[in-house]
Amino acid sequence: MDTNPIHSMKIVAISLACALSFLTGCDNPANNATPANDPRMPASSAAMLDPCSIISGTDAESILGEPVQPAQTSENPAVGAKLCMYNPVSEGSTRFLQISLTQDAAMRSSSSTATSIFRSLKSGFDGSRTDIDGLGDEAFIATGGLHLLKDGYYVNIGAGNTNSDAVRSQLLAAGELAAQRL
């Protein structure tokens, strides 16, 4: 069994991305044709928000209390998700900060929205989540970290084992920044 917490959180992130993919259904480009004047589709990807601009490397260093490597980014257009991962510079450190931003403008499918994905996940964590009042429109902590909905954007922030008070503090600090910058 792998006990590396960074590897374990990457597995959680991949699992979350897969779950989001299932929520939106199969990605058949023929079924996802979008008219050019659809307001949900931006003229260019520059018009969409970037999770690394919501929480910068400097922010991540402040939240984690140590230097981080340059962000690693990826995206899953089928569900409109962009990912920003900050890993520590120190190879011995187990800290990290991962920000996933799901936004309607980035989705290829019109069958789901960032809000519907958030609400479906929230419902799925019923009984095992901790609701957070006063953060965004809705927020909770559960498997995968902090789940935050604000103005139609779904942000998921991961930092490690959510049973740890230190990790929960980091998640809340990152969530406050994200909510302010959306």
Side-chain angles (χ1 to χ4, degrees), residues 126-173:
D126 196 26
S128 65
R129 68 176 193 261
T130 302
D131 292 333
I132 307 296
D133 293 327
L135 184 59
D137 299 331
E138 297 179 54
F140 64 93
I141 293 177
T143 300
L146 174 71
H147 302 263
L148 168 71
L149 181 67
K150 172 127 190 268
D151 297 335
Y153 293 95
Y154 166 43
V155 180
N156 174 242
I157 303 170
N161 184 343
T162 58
N163 292 324
S164 161
D165 289 338
V167 168
R168 283 180 173 248
S169 293
Q170 291 168 342
L171 291 172
L172 292 173

Side-chain angles (χ1 to χ4, degrees), residues 49 54 101-103 114-115 118-119 134-139 147-155 175-182:
L49 295 179
I54 294 171
L101 174 63
T102 302
Q103 51 195 315
T115 300
F118 173 88
R119 295 241 166 87
L135 184 59
D137 299 331
E138 297 179 54
H147 302 263
L148 168 71
L149 181 67
K150 172 127 190 268
D151 297 335
Y153 293 95
Y154 166 43
V155 180
E176 288 288 336
L177 279 176
Q180 290 172 8
R181 293 178 180 165
L182 285 175

Side-chain angles (χ1 to χ4, degrees), residues 36-158:
N37 61 351
D38 186 338
R40 289 174 21 93
M41 296 306 291
S44 72
S45 61
M48 292 184 282
L49 295 179
D50 176 6
C52 293
S53 68
I54 294 171
I55 298 178
S56 70
T58 303
D59 297 327
E61 289 179 345
S62 176
I63 291 166
L64 296 175
E66 67 180 284
V68 297
Q69 299 173 19
Q72 296 174 341
T73 60
S74 63
E75 59 185 278
N76 183 346
V79 294
K82 291 185 174 207
L83 180 77
C84 180
M85 178 76 168
Y86 296 107
N87 286 307
V89 170
S90 171
E91 290 183 23
S93 177
T94 59
R95 295 179 180 181
F96 67 93
L97 194 64
Q98 174 182 288
I99 305 94
S100 174
L101 174 63
T102 302
Q103 51 195 315
D104 294 349
M107 290 186 180
R108 285 194 281 179
S109 170
S110 62
S111 63
S112 294
T113 65
T115 300
S116 68
I117 291 170
F118 173 88
R119 295 241 166 87
S120 180
L121 287 167
K122 183 177 180 182
S123 175
F125 286 120
D126 196 26
S128 65
R129 68 176 193 261
T130 302
D131 292 333
I132 307 296
D133 293 327
L135 184 59
D137 299 331
E138 297 179 54
F140 64 93
I141 293 177
T143 300
L146 174 71
H147 302 263
L148 168 71
L149 181 67
K150 172 127 190 268
D151 297 335
Y153 293 95
Y154 166 43
V155 180
N156 174 242
I157 303 170

